Amino acid sequence: MKPDNYIQKAYHFILQNDFEEALRWFEAAILANPGDAEVHYRCSITYGRSGRLGQAIHHAKEAVRLQVDKPEYHLHLQHVEALQLVQEARKMVEGKTDTQPSELYQAVGLLKSAITKDPLHREAYVWLALVYSELNDHPLAIATLKEVISLYPQESGLQHIMEELKKRLKSYVLDSSTE
């Protein structure tokens, strides 16, 4: 089978929302032609959309290695690495009631790294703001949220989070003044 046929099959299954089968065809295309950077890139995108970030990063790195002069491959690699950093940070803080400050500071580091890799990663900014708020650094939380709102002014959900952070700040200031 020609490499293009594998890709056509993969896209056929993507259009049917069968990403597992699409990935199977991308992997078959890679086996047939392991030096094809574009196939690694497309496979990485599909793995990323399927939430399988380890495989997405692997194939993104392969695409970059095989064709270092393609800026879109580098951008995609940075994007999936940022996704993975945000995922790691979320696991550290999400749903925990007894998160230690050291874990929160670790999460801050991961989220800042994610933003460095992908400066348009909305979720990284939101999580960074929430972690700052958990650390009672409400002004920094608000500043972080203002930054993402400037990038995505049409996102009404961000305004809602901003209002919640401002309420937390007011509550924190009131609690601090009564001590």
Side-chain angles (χ1 to χ4, degrees):
M1 189 181 283
K2 293 181 182 177
D4 285 347
N5 292 346
Y6 291 108
I7 302 303
Q8 287 174 348
K9 289 276 193 185
Y11 276 105
H12 169 78
F13 286 105
I14 287 172
L15 292 173
Q16 293 181 13
N17 289 319
D18 187 347
F19 297 106
E20 287 305 312
E21 194 62 23
L23 287 167
R24 198 171 76 66
W25 284 100
F26 277 126
E27 292 289 357
I30 289 167
L31 283 174
N33 188 5
D36 190 332
E38 184 68 19
V39 176
H40 281 282
Y41 170 68
R42 292 177 187 198
C43 184
S44 174
I45 290 170
T46 305
Y47 271 123
R49 288 181 178 161
S50 299
R52 296 165 67 182
L53 298 177
Q55 292 98 328
I57 289 169
H58 166 75
H59 286 288
K61 283 180 177 178
E62 263 313 284
V64 167
R65 184 186 69 76
L66 291 166
Q67 198 164 354
V68 73
D69 63 332
K70 291 278 261 194
E72 62 267 31
Y73 294 175
H74 290 276
L75 288 172
H76 175 68
L77 174 58
Q78 289 177 300
H79 174 70
V80 292
E81 287 175 334
L83 287 172
Q84 187 174 55
L85 289 166
V86 170
Q87 187 178 69
E88 288 174 32
R90 285 182 64 173
K91 284 179 184 175
M92 295 178 86
V93 298
E94 198 171 45
K96 292 184 179 179
T97 56
D98 62 340
T99 305
Q100 300 298 313
S102 62
E103 289 178 296
L104 293 173
Y105 285 113
Q106 239 182 319
V108 166
L110 292 171
L111 293 163
K112 283 182 172 182
S113 293
I115 291 168
T116 298
K117 288 183 176 289
D118 185 353
L120 299 177
H121 195 309
R122 178 180 27 218
E123 187 181 2
Y125 286 96
V126 170
W127 276 97
L128 183 57
L130 294 173
V131 172
Y132 279 141
S133 182
E134 284 297 311
L135 288 165
N136 290 322
D137 195 341
H138 302 292
L140 197 48
I142 290 170
T144 301
L145 206 51
K146 281 182 180 178
E147 193 172 345
V148 73
I149 288 170
S150 73
L151 293 170
Y152 299 96
Q154 73 284 3
E155 291 288 329
S156 60
L158 294 174
Q159 292 295 338
H160 176 70
I161 295 169
M162 177 64 84
E163 294 308 314
E164 290 298 315
L165 287 177
K166 286 180 180 178
K167 285 179 192 175
R168 280 186 181 183
L169 175 60
K170 286 179 186 176
S171 175
Y172 179 75
V173 170
L174 288 174
D175 288 346
S176 296
S177 66
T178 58
E179 291 177 357

